[in-house]
Each structure stands twice: as structure tokens, then as C-alpha cells.
Amino acid sequence: DFDGTKADENFFEDAMQEYCFTFYTIGSQSSYEAFLNLSQLLSKLYPDNMGFINNIGSYYLLKQDYKSALKYYDKVLKKNPDDLTAAKNAQLAARKMKNVKLEKKYLELIVKYDEGKDALMAKGRLEALNIKSWISMVSIAVSYLVMIIAVSVSAGFRQEIRSGLADLSGDIRILPPSESVLDESRPIEKNAAYRPYIEEVDGVSQI
């Protein structure tokens, strides 16, 4: 018999959350859709209850739509940054997306608000990501250094080649008009009329 005890004001919301969870645990395609639809309806009826928003994020995480999942987890964490369910699921979604920056963000929340072994695991993962980022930056720096050295060496070789060619043929070559560079059958006269003008040019030391 009912003893007249007044139900807690959150009783219905808690009961509906259990009902949602039942659909999720069944694990069929239709039950997942029912889980989503019911969670969406309840999130509109109880907008302050972040549990239903978490449910929607979990649905998209299950469907591997990680971007949509993070959208809902971020809503939860904006209001309740200590919601570890949202933080852990968001970290998983960010890791699946291979978004290191986002993953670090959620790991930091876990480390801050979790007092159990998950905090230690999150801290270890965070340290590993920081080391990995440092190694990546060093690798990029080394790559740029190698490229700069290669360009410098190449420029040095070009300069040496130019100097060698200048020693053999001079810095400037004068050819007859329309004459091929490779054709020497019509050489320029040694005492050409324009020679004195060239000798008067600053910097010309020998012809």
C-alpha cells in the first residue's frame, strides 16, 4: 500500500534516465534510436538536466560521429565542468579524431576533477602527448635545418661553378649579333672599334 510519502522532485527525471539507459543497454539499432529520440524529448522538457544531453552525445559517439558527440559534451561541460562522464567521453571522441589539442583539454578536466585512478591515467596520457608534441616540434626544426643547409651548400656550389667559368671565359662575353653562343666560326676582331669604349667602363680590368 502507498504510505503517502512524497516523491523527490527529481524522481521522474531519474526514472526516465533509467528508462533511457535500458534502451541503450539492449544494444539493437531500434533501441539506440529510441534512446536518442527519448533523450532528445526529455532534454527539451528538462533543459537543465545535463544527463539527457550526455545521452545524445553518447549516441553520436556510438555512431562514430565524433564531431556531433563533442558538440553535446561541450554543452554539458560548459555548465558542469566537473561532469566526468562528459569529460571522459569527450576525451575518447577527441582521441578518435586524432585532435591532440582537444584531447589535452578534456584530459586536463579529468585530472582536475577526478580523484581516482582515471586521474592518474589521464595525467600519464597528458604527459605522453606533451612529449610527443615536443618530439614533433624538434623533428620539424631539424627538417628545416637540413633544408637550409642543403640550400646553402647548393648555393655555394653554384658560386664555385660561376667563378670557375669566369676564370675560363671572363665575366662577360661579347658575341656578334644573332651569333650562336656555341658557334665560334666567326670570332670577334681583337682590335674592334668599340674596344676603347669598353676599356673606359669602370670595373673593366682586362679584355
Side-chain angles (χ1 to χ4, degrees), residues 141-198:
V142 170
S143 298
Y144 275 116
L145 180 61
V146 170
M147 184 173 64
I148 291 170
I149 292 173
V151 170
S152 299
V153 171
S154 177
F157 279 135
R158 286 199 298 268
Q159 185 62 38
E160 288 296 324
I161 292 171
R162 288 170 182 166
S163 298
L165 291 175
D167 291 340
L168 293 173
S169 60
D171 297 312
I172 299 175
R173 295 186 66 190
I174 301 174
L175 300 173
S178 303
E179 188 72 17
S180 170
V181 174
L182 299 178
D183 185 5
E184 297 183 355
S185 61
R186 297 173 57 191
I188 295 175
E189 296 180 5
K190 182 177 180 180
N191 296 316
Y194 49 77
R195 178 168 179 154
Y197 298 104
I198 297 176

Side-chain angles (χ1 to χ4, degrees), residues 106-108 110-111 117-127:
Y106 301 121
L107 285 168
E108 288 171 355
I110 298 171
V111 171
K117 64 178 181 180
D118 286 340
L120 294 175
M121 294 175 63
K123 187 176 181 180
R125 173 67 179 167
L126 194 57
E127 290 174 352

Side-chain angles (χ1 to χ4, degrees), residues 5-15:
T5 303
K6 185 179 180 180
D8 183 87
E9 62 180 5
N10 296 322
F11 173 78
F12 182 74
E13 294 177 46
D14 293 340

Side-chain angles (χ1 to χ4, degrees), residues 92-109:
L92 177 60
R95 184 171 184 176
K96 292 290 186 180
M97 293 172 66
K98 297 183 179 180
N99 189 322
V100 175
K101 184 177 180 180
L102 274 179
E103 187 179 357
K104 286 182 179 181
K105 169 187 171 183
Y106 301 121
L107 285 168
E108 288 171 355
L109 290 176

Side-chain angles (χ1 to χ4, degrees), residues 75-92:
K75 285 184 178 180
V76 176
L77 293 169
K78 184 176 181 179
K79 184 173 183 180
N80 300 324
D82 59 345
D83 190 312
L84 291 172
T85 298
K88 292 173 184 178
N89 286 339
Q91 183 263 328
L92 177 60

